[in-house]
């Protein structure tokens, strides 16, 4: 179970970006857009959530994409084709609500493009006019462009350094679209919390309904611990079972970002130990 | 006085124990408050022998009725007194699958030991400690013996959840000849035994031992399977062709206080705090990857066993001040007296008759304190305990770096939400027609343990698991 059938390295420099195609027939069969898995990379490992970015029901596989930012993802990155993922549980979280909204703008920033992919696919299949905005720091680390083109009516790219597409942020492109008078019925955004917060700030005055898929710290991922809790519309919600998607205009992003920073010291210790070569893969 | 009572009195006089209740050797409180090793050492042979002859072998052993799974207590204690410890283990195992666990975590003082006849004139026989002694002895000296197994029936049962209810049910069903698969959401089996109860109260090696045993006798474990997501109840029955299902997924949803500031950094549910420490072994960070903070001043809100487990964990992680904040008085605390005493000896400070009002934080989003109000006890409420009433103008602040909320749990809705036709009560717990049959409103689906009763004890869940096994066995005969 959970054997890695393919490994793709998107970006080799630290922090590297890698993708696995993993054998997980039961998960592939049940997965719906917006859902995630929880995995552990080793016996002593931490449980981390990763969104399923693609699947193949016939082959019984799911894709997961990650950036090596901490010990778990660095350990994961050392695995190769033929190895297995130590523990893998899913699909978790509520699926994205899919219907024909009209025109939907799907915004993915950084590796956030990967989790946007199945949502854009499902929205397209439901008959929406899907316009995707993909944001990256620079051209070389833009991921999933081809895949996103397949499931979008139109793709727009922004890079922070101007090396590809529009020079600027995804929010600049979104603003231009809105200001040009385009009728947008829904915005879906996944990426760094600050980007999602800014996207929501852009759409709020225009009352454009905006979903944000949140990526909080989780332990069990099944509603048992509440580590992932966020305030949405003044109420506490668990991202793992009530989410991961919420009405972005109701999310308290500042609190969420503060909660994400809770373990920065410990994360640093682990990362350094890992860089000294103590990462184990089994 | 009835004839029976007179008889009992006579026996008591005749056999009045001359030996006092034997003390349980334990780690020095100051020492143990700094480590995660088991608090109590268990009886050595001599103390167990002494304790066993305190049992007067009543003609009408009420202790058996006091035990939720009706262990033949006098008989196993007699075997101990005769030095036949493996024989004693056999007697216990006729009724209980998990004696090493129950001997440690059962509230015996409210069950078998509460009704012990010796306890009427003297302290009751230490039934729980003897049970633990027997189970540990068997683990150390016994060899694995395949229990008597009924011929294979060809029927298969899926059990959802590998906590005490699920494990007990599995143990019985497999012996009845059915195929048994346990689906567990987490990466380790054991439920609350591994994520909830700390190492210092229930060493995880003991849980492993019991899980090994179940595997050896043929129970299949499917870990990392979150039922309700990867498979629904209906799919398990239709697609995977399980003939019956036992829902034992527990009451795992943490309750919060719903006061301002509760999402500040440094506020945890007891489930999170304990899961990090127990399941993920965060107390061994960075050897284990999951972190847990070492706080100087930490308060646990609540007065149950989970609150005691949390506050004692905080001490062991190095807290200088570890508090219990509870809105009633010490007498009303639902935790076992032994746990409260242990916590006190280890240095836990009790702030009683106090209710939290608001969590105070700094500009960086971290907890700095808890504003509380003093309470006094008024008229008794529905639970029979005196209702705490706020004392006007008595607000005060406790300076803290962290707060652990241990005020109870609710039903996890994941299975219920995805199972059409499953009747629930208003709190979201599964409705069964009665505790013995464990039958739900859905044909072939049974339920037991905390998901039916709400948060209770290991032994009650185990009892429910055993009742369900009987009921499922009957059901499988007629389909």
């Amino acid at each position: 179970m959970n054997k890695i059938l393919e490994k793709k390295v998107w970006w080799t420099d630290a922090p590297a970006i890698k993708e696995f195609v993993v054998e997980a027939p039961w998960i592939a069969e049940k997965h719906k857009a917006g859902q995630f898995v929880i995995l552990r990379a080793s016996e002593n490992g931490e449980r981390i959530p990763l969104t399923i970015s693609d699947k193949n029901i016939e082959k019984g596989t799911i894709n997961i994409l990650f950036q090596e930012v901490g010990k778990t993802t660095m350990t994961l990155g050392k695995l190769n084709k033929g190895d297995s993922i130590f523990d893998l549980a899913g699909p978790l979280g509520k699926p994205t609500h899919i219907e024909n909204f009209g025109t939907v703008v799907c915004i993915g920033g950084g590796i956030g493009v990967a989790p946007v992919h199945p949502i854009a696919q499902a929205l397209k299949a439901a008959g929406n006019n899907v316009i995707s905005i993909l944001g990256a720091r620079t051209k070389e680390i833009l991921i999933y462009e081809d895949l996103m083109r397949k499931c979008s009516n139109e793709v727009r790219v922004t890079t922070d350094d101007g090396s590809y597409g529009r020079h600027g942020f995804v929010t600049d492109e979104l603003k231009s679209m809105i200001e040009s008078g385009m009728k947008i019925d829904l915005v879906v955004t996944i990426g760094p919390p600050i980007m999602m917060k800014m996207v929501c700030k852009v759409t709020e005055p225009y009352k454009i309904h905006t979903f944000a898929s949140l990526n909080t710290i989780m332990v069990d991922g099944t509603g048992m611990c509440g580590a992932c809790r966020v305030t949405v519309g003044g109420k506490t919600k668990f991202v793992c079972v009530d989410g991961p998607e919420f009405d972005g205009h109701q999310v308290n992003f500042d609190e969420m970002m503060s909660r994400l920073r809770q373990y920065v010291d410990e994360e640093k210790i682990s990362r350094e130990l890992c860089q000294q070569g103590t990462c184990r893969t089994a | 006085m009835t004839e029976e009572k007179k008889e009992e009195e006579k026996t008591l006089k005749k056999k009045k124990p001359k030996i006092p209740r034997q003390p349980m050797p334990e780690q020095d409180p100051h020492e143990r408050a700094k480590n995660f090793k088991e608090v109590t050492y268990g009886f050595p042979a001599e103390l167990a022998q002494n304790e066993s002859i305190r049992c007067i072998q009543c003609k009408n052993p009420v202790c058996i009725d006091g035990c939720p799974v009706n262990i033949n207590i006098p008989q196993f204690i007699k075997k101990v007194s005769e030095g036949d410890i493996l024989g004693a283990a056999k007697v216990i195992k006729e009724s209980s699958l998990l004696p090493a666990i129950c001997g440690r975590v059962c509230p015996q003082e409210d069950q078998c030991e509460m009704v012990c006849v010796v306890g009427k004139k003297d302290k009751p026989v230490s039934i729980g400690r003897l049970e633990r002694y027997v189970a540990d002895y068997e683990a150390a000296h016994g060899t694995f013996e395949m229990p008597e197994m009924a011929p294979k029936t060809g029927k298969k049962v899926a059990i959802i959840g590998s906590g005490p209810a699920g494990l007990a049910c599995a143990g019985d069903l497999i012996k009845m000849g059915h195929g048994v698969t346990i689906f567990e959401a987490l990466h380790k089996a054991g439920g609350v035994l591994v994520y909830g109860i700390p190492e210092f109260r229930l060493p995880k090696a003991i849980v492993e031992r019991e899980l090994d045993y179940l595997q050896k006798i043929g129970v299949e474990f499917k870990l990392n399977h979150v039922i309700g997501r990867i498979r629904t109840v209906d799919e398990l029955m239709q697609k995977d062709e399980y003939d019956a299902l036992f829902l034992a997924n527990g009451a795992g949803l943490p309750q919060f206080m719903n006061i301002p500031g509760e999402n500040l950094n440094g506020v945890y549910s007891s489930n999170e705090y304990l899961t990090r420490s127990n399941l993920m072994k965060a107390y061994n960070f960075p050897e284990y990857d999951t972190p847990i903070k070492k706080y100087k001043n930490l308060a646990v809100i609540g007065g149950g066993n989970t609150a005691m487990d949390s506050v004692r964990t905080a001490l062991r992680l190095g807290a200088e001040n570890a508090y219990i904040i509870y809105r009633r008085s010490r007498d009303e605390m639902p935790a076992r007296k032994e746990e409260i005493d242990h916590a006190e000896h280890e240095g836990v400070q009790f702030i009683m008759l106090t209710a939290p009002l608001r969590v105070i934080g700094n500009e960086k989003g971290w907890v700095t304190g808890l504003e509380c109000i003093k309470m006094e006890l008024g008229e008794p409420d529905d639970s029979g305990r005196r209702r705490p009433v706020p004392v006007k103008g008595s607000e005060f602040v406790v300076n803290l770096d962290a707060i652990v909320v241990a005020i109870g749990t609710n039903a996890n809705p994941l299975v219920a939400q995805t199972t059409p036709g499953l009747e629930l009560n208003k709190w979201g717990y599964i409705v069964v027609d009665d505790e013995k049959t464990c039958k739900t409103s859905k044909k072939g689906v049974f339920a037991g343990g905390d998901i039916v009763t709400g948060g209770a004890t290991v032994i009650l869940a185990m009892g429910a698991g055993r009742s369900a096994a009987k009921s499922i066995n009957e059901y499988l005969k007629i389909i």
Side-chain angles (χ1 to χ4, degrees), chain B residues 262-283:
Chain B
E262 210 165 8
N263 292 344
L264 284 163
N265 288 344
V267 183
Y268 303 88
S269 72
S270 52
N271 268 5
E272 180 185 352
Y273 195 68
L274 291 174
T275 300
R276 280 181 182 274
S277 179
N278 301 332
L279 176 72
M280 306 310 296
K281 301 244 183 299
Y283 60 86

Side-chain angles (χ1 to χ4, degrees), chain B residues 138-187:
Chain B
E138 194 214 10
H141 299 91
T143 48
F144 171 75
E145 261 180 61
M146 201 66 181
E148 225 171 276
M149 308 281 275
K152 291 261 176 279
T153 62
K155 300 274 166 53
K156 51 179 206 167
V157 182
I159 295 177
I160 318 307
S162 65
L167 295 179
C169 187
D172 281 358
L173 283 173
I174 197 102
K175 284 189 254 176
M176 293 166 178
H178 309 301
V180 180
T181 308
I182 301 186
F183 291 89
E184 167 57 45
L186 295 171
H187 59 267

